[in-house]
Amino acid sequence: MTVDEIAEGRRQAFYQGIQPLHLSPLWTVLHAVVTREPVVKEVPHLWAWRAVRPYLEEAARLIGTDEAERRVLVLENPGEVPHPAVTQTLYAGLQIILPGEVARTHRHTANALRFIVEGEGAYTTVDGEKTVMRRGDFVTTPIWSWHDHGNSSDQPMVWLDGLDVPLVNRLNGMFGDPFPTEVQPVTKAPDDSWWRWGQSLRPVGDPPPQARRASPIVNYRYTVARAALEALQRQGDLDPWDGIRLEYQNPVTGGPALPTMAAYLQLLPRGFRTASHRHTSGTVYCVVEGRGRTWAGDVEMRWEPNDVFVVPAWMPHRHEVLGDEEAVLFSFDDAPVQRAFGLYREDKE
Amino acid sequence: MTVDEIAEGRRQAFYQGIQPLHLSPLWTVLHAVVTREPVVKEVPHLWAWRAVRPYLEEAARLIGTDEAERRVLVLENPGEVPHPAVTQTLYAGLQIILPGEVARTHRHTANALRFIVEGEGAYTTVDGEKTVMRRGDFVTTPIWSWHDHGNSSDQPMVWLDGLDVPLVNRLNGMFGDPFPTEVQPVTKAPDDSWWRWGQSLRPVGDPPPQARRASPIVNYRYTVARAALEALQRQGDLDPWDGIRLEYQNPVTGGPALPTMAAYLQLLPRGFRTASHRHTSGTVYCVVEGRGRTWAGDVEMRWEPNDVFVVPAWMPHRHEVLGDEEAVLFSFDDAPVQRAFGLYREDKE
Amino acid sequence: MTVDEIAEGRRQAFYQGIQPLHLSPLWTVLHAVVTREPVVKEVPHLWAWRAVRPYLEEAARLIGTDEAERRVLVLENPGEVPHPAVTQTLYAGLQIILPGEVARTHRHTANALRFIVEGEGAYTTVDGEKTVMRRGDFVTTPIWSWHDHGNSSDQPMVWLDGLDVPLVNRLNGMFGDPFPTEVQPVTKAPDDSWWRWGQSLRPVGDPPPQARRASPIVNYRYTVARAALEALQRQGDLDPWDGIRLEYQNPVTGGPALPTMAAYLQLLPRGFRTASHRHTSGTVYCVVEGRGRTWAGDVEMRWEPNDVFVVPAWMPHRHEVLGDEEAVLFSFDDAPVQRAFGLYREDKE
Amino acid sequence: MTVDEIAEGRRQAFYQGIQPLHLSPLWTVLHAVVTREPVVKEVPHLWAWRAVRPYLEEAARLIGTDEAERRVLVLENPGEVPHPAVTQTLYAGLQIILPGEVARTHRHTANALRFIVEGEGAYTTVDGEKTVMRRGDFVTTPIWSWHDHGNSSDQPMVWLDGLDVPLVNRLNGMFGDPFPTEVQPVTKAPDDSWWRWGQSLRPVGDPPPQARRASPIVNYRYTVARAALEALQRQGDLDPWDGIRLEYQNPVTGGPALPTMAAYLQLLPRGFRTASHRHTSGTVYCVVEGRGRTWAGDVEMRWEPNDVFVVPAWMPHRHEVLGDEEAVLFSFDDAPVQRAFGLYREDKE
């Protein structure tokens, strides 16, 4: 045996010796785990409403609510993320509920949001406040809040669910509970939380219903946010990267609507092309009005109303509005998680 | 000389000796300065609109705006407070402005608020946002913000000014500046701050115009606050001490509208009599709707629209609505200052 | 009567008419209350230990502790401030306690601090922690904490008391209480709070004894702070205005030791002359080591150990060390109050 | 075909149809992802110093520092976690450095901590402050701080590295940078940060070197923390679950030493047996003094000095001290991450 062979043999013995001790050599993986830039596993993808809608209908036919406590088609990122997930930290799904159906009350430590895509008249009840939902409404069901929903209208209703399930599971923080009865009692008037907290007013001596860092507002109405976008457009606001973009705010803290997820409504004027930027947060978009396309890295995604698409973390992206109308996009991301630890970065071109 | 006389003489010598050294004996005043409860110098008082209004008109006739940069009748507390002041920490005044008049732009470290008592159509400009004011509107001009006003309507206009001048002067913190020109340029659209921050939405990437712990909202409209009071009344809110009371909120922090002053709008139903309570904050009320009376300690104050009255700190008080209508009261107090140092206390009966 | 006389008569009638209504014209006082810079009423002054010390002894002879619950000579500012006060917001006094004396337990909403000037071996007990004090120690007795003291040594002991009494009284926030018995029970070990919180460590599951925004540390030892000053001196720290100046910190929040008062220990090297600056906070100094002089405005104050002097708010001041030794100054100010409302300003030359 | 077969066929078609659209049915996985309690993937494990130490020596012989920028044996959790990792969010490794070796300067957004296991005299430099390390010292190298180390002593030195790499990678937040030169310049005196911030004092006008929510203290000395444990033991502290446990604190905020990781030093008296509890944070322990055993779930881990062991999230655990000596344990966990989002829970028996 040569000296080299001896050395190599000793190395092999070393590597074989440490394995059963549950030790591994950092030097073989250091450059793969402490990288110069994030190595992002999620990829851009668009779920076309045209393609998904028929399957929602079919799911409604095939799957009863007794079978499916929540009848949701999960939007699965085609990249190598732990499923179900739309990004490394976020979950998204499209939920359909038929007239007459009711989904039972539960709560969990995952935060959830709903953005109404189709229909009008179904309701969600959150901690005793029942809100009747309309297209474009943004509904919060924060950590550990009792929530259920039902459809007392005469048409199916579809919404986008957004949750932080992948994050909460990774943090070993998932707890869940069913409510003792199927439907929780309604103890508050419609839009109670909006009147109480929504308009930069607050009732004296009436603390918001939680210390959970989530917005107390159950339903942020589309009419309100849409009118605000128009007002800012008239006032000449136009960000090169985002057009006119409003974040739904927790009025108790001035922070994001949910402790782990921020949500936005954004207007892109007719024909507007944004500049490109990237940020460490990953974003799920849902098209409310208009048509256009978004480039994320090399991928072009063409969109029209009710399409949902995802832009991965740290991937340069830009939008372009097509056709004769302005566009309105709803979106949510995990920026609050990154900001909590100083990990949020943005890179503008 | 007796022993007692000698001792007394020595004491006298002691007291005479320390005086020129600017020393004084604590033991003679300790119980007067460290008391079991606050020794409040301000007293309850009501300024009747009927009585004050003619003097405002007369002031408008006699005093030109060149003479009076701000044509204000100060509401002076009849108690032993350092004037001008309505309580130990607060200042209040009624200001009248005639059609065509303009008051020059300045700024100061005192925080100011305006509550519109009469008229419609005059404007205030705050840091470039011009707001046309209507009766019942609550307007903020926070610390170090440029502000001016003018009346382009065809009627006189009157509002209540509230400032923290007595506090700021006591804290040796008063600075003031005139703007280089009489009128500052208007750089923002009407109600810009409301659209931008007022409704639990906020523009992405657009920080509020200050780090001064004051609300960025220039004008909290009466219509909005009034409608919220009605909504909460329908929802059955009724606090025994306050009826239905909303605080104007700084949407950036969830705190009070101004760092040193909180402001409120409150509805007392027809015939309602509140329970009695007291708190360390002193409060200035302005009647917007309805008639009634308020007891503060032994003093009964009967009020009707546009009357202003003051309830001193730590004085038990209660309200009663008279006549066939519900009552709406605007008020402001110094609770944020007391809360900042853990000095706020409330005592309920 | 001429037209002017008529006008003047009408004016007089106006001014006479508003007075009984407790109204006053703002325009005659506006420029006196909303000023370009603070109009400070307190003046610089030095209380020489040499002159004061004999009167402390005489007070000890003349005044029993039964008569004087606290045997203190108040340092009264010669300016026009409401007494007792050393500045508009602060109170300072020199307290002497004889061997064997005990001062009964009480609490109040005023915050208090003690800086030990002479002697060793007396104790203060704060909320059950008894600390034996030595010259140079800085002791906190925050808002609403039970405190008492006694002298079990064989020598008199003198300390400087600092309180926010003028502020708290002005804010209508003074409450006080005697303890049910003369001396509260000692429930904690000596220096318990220092071990628990002082050294950037904290006991798990053991919240600090209050939510009162004050430091939980009862006694900040001179030996610790003095050694830190030396270390920073070795490291080359030297601020042109302050030399080497450490602030005593609340380890729970990173804020000042008391919610309304900040306290400091500062080293000025041998022969050092600081540059001049001013700030809106007013400062009380106590000389620990060395000799020197301080100019505040036009006033020169020569100092040596145990002298106390006051530098008013917004007055330019600078220090100079005389003799062959470095100087160490203790000081406290009201900067936290001004910072709470954005009123703190500094102006450097 | 029967009706059931037809229905089943239709279902199959549905499931096959949605797959290429990157949709999945929530109802088949809901109960696996939204669980009643955390489904924890990491398992308890102990790495015995006796077994690991020889491989560290062998690694030192086989692997040069040119090959291994950091010569570390990673402690790999035997459970199903994404490697390298000791829990779902944390990384731990044992690092050895030989006399004369130097590891080059870099920075990354991962937070790192070091706990010294063996040896004395090597140094770490963090943002210009060079600290010579001794056994038991706790050293922080927070997010984005330049750090390097070297061994100028005549003995090998071993420490435990703790990082949040699994979390930061999952959050798509990893950035890294080499320093322009191998070794950064030393710009501060030894223990500068301790003198400046460590003892509840802070230099006036000298903000801590970052806004990164991490402690500015580079080295928390063992001598200090050990003495504090003894003091609290004398004072009778003894928590049934934790004995006497001190958390290393960020003196600027009162929060944890690092934004994502808390660290502790804990004393268990001779013969002490703790009660059992569990919490959502997972914990890595390193034995400093004494012998004992820890049960985590059903697993018993016997430990002696320098052993490292991990207790998974939400797993009931208790400690017992064996032999004639008291025990001292260092530990770190991810509780700050869970607290940031309201996910921290504890369950005591």
Coordinates of all heavy atoms in Angstrom, one line a residue, chain A residues 170-231:
Chain A
R170 N -43.1 23.1 10.6 CA -41.6 23.1 10.7 C -41.2 23.6 12.1 O -40.2 23.1 12.7 CB -41.0 23.9 9.6 CG -39.5 23.9 9.6 CD -39.0 22.5 9.4 NE -37.5 22.4 9.3 CZ -36.8 22.4 8.3 NH1 -37.3 22.5 7.1 NH2 -35.5 22.4 8.3
L171 N -42.0 24.5 12.7 CA -41.6 25.0 14.0 C -42.2 24.2 15.1 O -42.1 24.6 16.3 CB -42.2 26.5 14.1 CG -41.6 27.5 13.2 CD1 -42.2 28.9 13.5 CD2 -40.1 27.5 13.2
N172 N -42.7 23.0 14.8 CA -43.3 22.1 15.8 C -44.4 22.8 16.6 O -44.5 22.6 17.8 CB -42.2 21.6 16.8 CG -41.3 20.6 16.1 OD1 -41.7 19.8 15.3 ND2 -40.0 20.7 16.3
G173 N -45.1 23.7 16.0 CA -46.1 24.5 16.7 C -47.6 24.2 16.4 O -48.4 25.0 16.8
M174 N -47.9 23.1 15.7 CA -49.3 22.9 15.3 C -50.1 22.2 16.4 O -49.8 21.1 16.9 CB -49.3 22.0 14.1 CG -50.7 21.8 13.5 SD -51.4 23.3 12.8 CE -50.5 23.3 11.2
F175 N -51.1 23.0 16.8 CA -52.2 22.4 17.7 C -53.5 22.6 17.0 O -53.7 23.7 16.4 CB -52.2 23.1 19.1 CG -50.9 22.8 19.9 CD1 -49.8 23.5 19.7 CD2 -50.9 21.7 20.8 CE1 -48.6 23.2 20.4 CE2 -49.8 21.5 21.6 CZ -48.6 22.2 21.4
G176 N -54.5 21.7 17.2 CA -55.8 21.9 16.6 C -56.9 21.4 17.6 O -56.6 20.5 18.5
D177 N -58.1 21.8 17.4 CA -59.2 21.5 18.3 C -60.5 21.6 17.5 O -60.7 22.5 16.8 CB -59.3 22.6 19.4 CG -58.9 22.1 20.7 OD1 -58.7 20.9 20.9 OD2 -58.9 22.9 21.6
P178 N -61.4 20.6 17.7 CA -62.7 20.8 17.1 C -63.6 21.5 18.2 O -63.3 21.4 19.4 CB -63.2 19.3 16.9 CG -62.5 18.6 18.0 CD -61.2 19.3 18.2
F179 N -64.5 22.3 17.7 CA -65.5 22.9 18.6 C -66.4 21.9 19.1 O -66.7 20.9 18.5 CB -66.3 24.0 17.8 CG -67.0 25.0 18.7 CD1 -66.3 26.0 19.4 CD2 -68.4 25.0 18.9 CE1 -66.9 26.9 20.2 CE2 -69.0 25.9 19.7 CZ -68.3 26.8 20.4
P180 N -66.9 22.0 20.4 CA -67.8 21.0 21.0 C -69.0 20.7 20.1 O -69.5 19.6 20.0 CB -68.2 21.6 22.3 CG -67.2 22.6 22.6 CD -66.6 23.1 21.3
T181 N -69.6 21.7 19.4 CA -70.7 21.5 18.5 C -70.3 21.8 17.1 O -69.2 22.4 16.9 CB -71.9 22.4 18.9 OG1 -71.4 23.8 18.9 CG2 -72.4 22.0 20.3
E182 N -71.1 21.4 16.1 CA -70.7 21.7 14.7 C -70.6 23.1 14.4 O -69.6 23.5 13.8 CB -71.8 21.0 13.8 CG -71.3 21.1 12.4 CD -72.3 20.5 11.4 OE1 -73.5 20.7 11.5 OE2 -71.8 19.7 10.5
V183 N -71.5 23.9 14.9 CA -71.5 25.4 14.5 C -71.4 26.2 15.8 O -72.2 26.0 16.7 CB -72.8 25.7 13.8 CG1 -72.8 27.2 13.5 CG2 -72.9 24.9 12.5
Q184 N -70.5 27.1 15.9 CA -70.3 27.9 17.1 C -71.5 29.0 17.1 O -72.0 29.4 16.1 CB -69.0 28.6 17.0 CG -68.8 29.6 15.9 CD -67.5 30.4 16.0 OE1 -67.1 30.9 17.0 NE2 -66.8 30.4 14.8
P185 N -71.8 29.4 18.3 CA -72.9 30.5 18.3 C -72.4 31.8 17.8 O -71.2 32.1 18.0 CB -73.1 30.6 19.9 CG -72.0 30.0 20.5 CD -71.4 29.0 19.6
V186 N -73.3 32.5 17.2 CA -72.9 33.9 16.7 C -73.3 34.9 17.8 O -74.4 34.9 18.3 CB -73.8 34.2 15.4 CG1 -73.6 35.7 15.1 CG2 -73.4 33.3 14.3
T187 N -72.2 35.6 18.3 CA -72.4 36.4 19.5 C -72.2 37.9 19.2 O -72.4 38.7 20.0 CB -71.4 36.0 20.6 OG1 -70.1 36.2 20.0 CG2 -71.6 34.6 21.0
K188 N -71.9 38.2 17.9 CA -71.6 39.6 17.6 C -72.4 39.9 16.3 O -72.8 39.1 15.6 CB -70.1 39.8 17.3 CG -69.3 39.5 18.6 CD -67.8 39.4 18.3 CE -67.0 38.9 19.5 NZ -65.7 38.4 19.1
A189 N -72.6 41.2 16.2 CA -73.3 41.7 15.0 C -72.4 41.6 13.8 O -71.2 41.6 13.9 CB -73.7 43.2 15.2
P190 N -73.0 41.6 12.6 CA -72.2 41.6 11.3 C -71.2 42.8 11.3 O -71.6 43.9 11.6 CB -73.3 41.7 10.2 CG -74.6 41.3 10.9 CD -74.5 41.7 12.3
D191 N -70.0 42.5 10.9 CA -69.0 43.5 10.7 C -68.7 44.2 12.0 O -68.1 45.3 12.0 CB -69.4 44.5 9.6 CG -69.3 43.9 8.2 OD1 -68.3 43.2 8.0 OD2 -70.2 44.0 7.4
D192 N -69.0 43.6 13.1 CA -68.7 44.2 14.4 C -67.2 44.7 14.5 O -66.9 45.8 14.9 CB -69.0 43.1 15.5 CG -68.6 43.7 16.9 OD1 -69.5 44.4 17.4 OD2 -67.5 43.4 17.4
S193 N -66.3 43.8 14.1 CA -64.9 44.2 14.3 C -64.5 45.3 13.4 O -63.6 46.1 13.7 CB -64.0 42.9 14.0 OG -64.2 42.5 12.6
W194 N -65.1 45.4 12.2 CA -64.8 46.6 11.4 C -65.2 47.9 12.0 O -64.5 48.9 12.1 CB -65.5 46.4 10.0 CG -65.3 47.6 9.1 CD1 -66.2 48.6 8.9 CD2 -64.1 48.1 8.5 NE1 -65.7 49.6 8.1 CE2 -64.3 49.3 7.8 CE3 -62.8 47.5 8.4 CZ2 -63.4 50.0 7.1 CZ3 -61.8 48.2 7.7 CH2 -62.1 49.4 7.0
W195 N -66.4 47.9 12.5 CA -66.9 49.2 13.2 C -66.1 49.5 14.4 O -65.8 50.6 14.8 CB -68.4 49.0 13.6 CG -69.3 49.1 12.4 CD1 -70.0 48.0 11.9 CD2 -69.5 50.2 11.5 NE1 -70.7 48.4 10.8 CE2 -70.4 49.8 10.5 CE3 -69.1 51.5 11.5 CZ2 -70.9 50.6 9.5 CZ3 -69.6 52.4 10.5 CH2 -70.5 51.9 9.5
R196 N -65.6 48.4 15.1 CA -65.0 48.6 16.3 C -63.5 49.0 16.2 O -63.0 49.8 17.0 CB -65.0 47.2 17.1 CG -65.2 47.3 18.5 CD -65.5 45.9 19.1 NE -66.9 45.6 19.0 CZ -67.8 46.1 20.0 NH1 -67.3 46.8 20.9 NH2 -69.0 45.9 19.9
W197 N -62.8 48.5 15.1 CA -61.4 48.7 15.0 C -61.0 49.2 13.6 O -59.8 49.7 13.5 CB -60.7 47.4 15.2 CG -61.1 46.7 16.4 CD1 -61.9 45.7 16.6 CD2 -60.6 47.0 17.8 NE1 -62.1 45.3 17.9 CE2 -61.3 46.1 18.6 CE3 -59.8 48.0 18.3 CZ2 -61.1 46.1 20.0 CZ3 -59.6 48.0 19.7 CH2 -60.3 47.1 20.5
G198 N -61.8 49.1 12.6 CA -61.3 49.3 11.2 C -60.9 50.6 10.8 O -60.1 50.8 10.0
Q199 N -61.6 51.7 11.4 CA -61.5 53.0 10.8 C -60.7 54.0 11.7 O -61.0 55.1 11.8 CB -62.9 53.5 10.5 CG -63.6 52.7 9.5 CD -65.1 53.1 9.4 OE1 -65.4 53.9 8.4 NE2 -65.9 52.8 10.3
S200 N -59.6 53.5 12.3 CA -58.8 54.4 13.1 C -59.6 54.9 14.3 O -59.3 56.1 14.7 CB -58.1 55.5 12.3 OG -57.2 54.9 11.3
L201 N -60.5 54.1 14.7 CA -61.2 54.4 16.0 C -61.1 53.1 16.8 O -61.0 52.0 16.3 CB -62.7 54.7 15.7 CG -62.9 55.9 14.8 CD1 -64.4 55.9 14.2 CD2 -62.7 57.2 15.6
R202 N -61.3 53.3 18.1 CA -61.4 52.0 18.9 C -62.2 52.3 20.1 O -62.2 53.4 20.7 CB -60.0 51.5 19.3 CG -59.2 52.4 20.2 CD -57.9 51.8 20.7 NE -57.4 52.5 21.8 CZ -57.7 52.2 23.1 NH1 -58.6 51.3 23.3 NH2 -57.2 52.9 24.1
P203 N -63.0 51.3 20.5 CA -63.9 51.5 21.7 C -63.0 51.6 23.0 O -62.1 50.8 23.2 CB -64.7 50.2 21.7 CG -64.4 49.5 20.4 CD -63.1 49.9 20.0
V204 N -63.3 52.6 23.8 CA -62.6 52.8 25.0 C -63.0 51.6 25.9 O -64.1 51.1 26.0 CB -63.1 54.1 25.7 CG1 -62.5 54.2 27.1 CG2 -62.6 55.2 24.8
G205 N -61.9 51.0 26.6 CA -62.2 50.0 27.6 C -62.5 48.6 26.9 O -63.0 47.7 27.6
D206 N -62.3 48.5 25.7 CA -62.7 47.2 25.0 C -61.5 46.7 24.2 O -61.3 47.1 23.1 CB -63.9 47.5 24.0 CG -64.4 46.3 23.4 OD1 -63.9 45.2 23.8 OD2 -65.2 46.4 22.5
P207 N -60.7 46.0 24.9 CA -59.4 45.5 24.2 C -59.8 44.6 23.1 O -60.8 43.9 23.1 CB -58.7 44.7 25.3 CG -59.7 44.3 26.3 CD -60.8 45.3 26.2
P208 N -58.9 44.6 22.1 CA -59.2 43.7 20.9 C -59.2 42.2 21.5 O -58.6 41.9 22.5 CB -58.0 43.9 20.0 CG -57.0 44.6 20.8 CD -57.7 45.3 21.9
P209 N -59.9 41.3 20.8 CA -60.2 40.0 21.4 C -59.0 39.1 21.5 O -59.2 37.9 21.4 CB -61.3 39.5 20.4 CG -61.0 40.2 19.1 CD -60.4 41.5 19.4
Q210 N -57.8 39.6 21.6 CA -56.7 38.6 21.6 C -55.4 39.4 21.8 O -55.3 40.6 21.6 CB -56.6 37.9 20.3 CG -57.1 38.6 19.1 CD -56.1 39.5 18.4 OE1 -54.9 39.4 18.7 NE2 -56.5 40.2 17.5
A211 N -54.4 38.6 22.3 CA -53.1 39.2 22.4 C -52.2 38.4 21.4 O -51.1 38.2 21.6 CB -52.5 39.1 23.8
R212 N -52.8 38.1 20.2 CA -52.1 37.2 19.4 C -51.5 37.8 18.2 O -51.2 37.2 17.1 CB -53.1 36.1 18.9 CG -54.3 36.6 18.1 CD -55.4 35.6 18.0 NE -56.6 36.3 17.4 CZ -57.8 35.8 17.6 NH1 -58.1 34.8 18.3 NH2 -58.8 36.5 17.0
R213 N -51.3 39.1 18.3 CA -50.6 39.8 17.2 C -51.3 39.7 15.8 O -50.7 40.0 14.8 CB -49.1 39.4 17.1 CG -48.2 40.2 18.0 CD -46.9 39.5 18.2 NE -47.1 38.4 19.0 CZ -46.0 37.7 19.6 NH1 -44.8 38.1 19.4 NH2 -46.2 36.7 20.4
A214 N -52.5 39.3 15.8 CA -53.3 39.3 14.6 C -54.3 40.4 14.6 O -54.8 40.9 15.6 CB -53.9 37.9 14.4
S215 N -54.7 40.8 13.4 CA -55.7 41.8 13.3 C -57.0 41.4 13.9 O -57.4 40.2 13.7 CB -55.9 42.2 11.8 OG -57.0 43.1 11.7
P216 N -57.7 42.2 14.6 CA -59.0 41.8 15.1 C -60.1 41.9 14.0 O -61.2 41.5 14.2 CB -59.3 42.9 16.2 CG -58.5 44.1 15.8 CD -57.3 43.6 15.1
I217 N -59.7 42.5 12.8 CA -60.8 42.7 11.8 C -61.0 41.3 11.0 O -60.1 40.7 10.5 CB -60.3 43.7 10.8 CG1 -60.1 45.1 11.5 CG2 -61.3 43.9 9.6 CD1 -59.6 46.2 10.7
V218 N -62.3 40.9 11.0 CA -62.6 39.7 10.4 C -62.7 39.8 8.9 O -62.1 39.0 8.1 CB -64.0 39.1 10.9 CG1 -64.4 37.9 10.1 CG2 -63.8 38.8 12.4
N219 N -63.3 40.8 8.4 CA -63.5 41.0 6.9 C -63.1 42.4 6.5 O -63.7 43.4 6.9 CB -65.0 40.7 6.6 CG -65.2 40.6 5.1 OD1 -64.4 41.0 4.3 ND2 -66.3 40.0 4.7
Y220 N -62.1 42.4 5.7 CA -61.7 43.7 5.0 C -62.4 43.7 3.7 O -62.0 42.9 2.7 CB -60.2 43.7 4.7 CG -59.3 43.8 6.0 CD1 -58.9 42.7 6.7 CD2 -58.7 45.0 6.3 CE1 -58.1 42.7 7.8 CE2 -57.8 45.1 7.4 CZ -57.5 43.9 8.1 OH -56.7 44.0 9.2
R221 N -63.4 44.5 3.5 CA -64.2 44.5 2.4 C -63.5 45.0 1.1 O -62.7 45.9 1.2 CB -65.4 45.5 2.6 CG -66.4 45.0 3.7 CD -67.2 43.9 3.2 NE -68.1 43.4 4.2 CZ -68.7 42.2 4.2 NH1 -68.5 41.4 3.1 NH2 -69.5 41.8 5.1
Y222 N -63.8 44.4 0.0 CA -63.2 44.8 -1.3 C -63.6 46.2 -1.6 O -62.7 47.0 -2.1 CB -63.7 43.8 -2.4 CG -62.9 44.0 -3.7 CD1 -61.5 43.9 -3.7 CD2 -63.6 44.4 -4.9 CE1 -60.9 44.0 -4.9 CE2 -62.9 44.6 -6.0 CZ -61.5 44.4 -6.1 OH -60.8 44.6 -7.2
T223 N -64.8 46.6 -1.4 CA -65.3 47.9 -1.7 C -64.4 49.0 -1.1 O -64.0 50.0 -1.7 CB -66.7 48.2 -1.3 OG1 -66.9 47.6 0.0 CG2 -67.7 47.4 -2.2
V224 N -64.0 48.8 0.1 CA -63.2 49.8 0.8 C -61.7 49.8 0.3 O -61.2 50.9 -0.1 CB -63.1 49.4 2.4 CG1 -62.1 50.3 3.1 CG2 -64.4 49.5 3.0
A225 N -61.1 48.7 0.1 CA -59.8 48.6 -0.4 C -59.7 49.1 -1.8 O -58.8 49.8 -2.2 CB -59.2 47.2 -0.3
R226 N -60.7 48.8 -2.6 CA -60.7 49.2 -4.0 C -60.8 50.7 -4.1 O -60.2 51.3 -5.0 CB -61.9 48.5 -4.7 CG -62.0 48.6 -6.2 CD -60.8 47.9 -6.9 NE -60.8 48.0 -8.3 CZ -60.3 49.0 -9.1 NH1 -59.8 50.0 -8.4 NH2 -60.4 48.9 -10.4
A227 N -61.7 51.3 -3.3 CA -61.9 52.7 -3.3 C -60.6 53.4 -2.9 O -60.2 54.5 -3.4 CB -63.0 53.1 -2.4
A228 N -59.9 52.8 -1.9 CA -58.6 53.5 -1.5 C -57.6 53.4 -2.6 O -56.8 54.4 -2.8 CB -58.1 52.7 -0.3
L229 N -57.5 52.3 -3.3 CA -56.6 52.2 -4.5 C -56.9 53.3 -5.5 O -56.0 54.0 -6.0 CB -56.7 50.8 -5.2 CG -56.1 49.7 -4.4 CD1 -56.4 48.3 -5.2 CD2 -54.6 49.8 -4.3
E230 N -58.2 53.5 -5.8 CA -58.5 54.6 -6.7 C -58.1 55.9 -6.2 O -57.7 56.8 -7.0 CB -60.0 54.5 -7.0 CG -60.4 53.6 -8.1 CD -61.9 53.3 -8.1 OE1 -62.7 54.2 -8.0 OE2 -62.2 52.1 -8.2
A231 N -58.3 56.2 -4.9 CA -58.0 57.5 -4.4 C -56.5 57.7 -4.5 O -56.1 58.8 -4.9 CB -58.4 57.5 -2.9

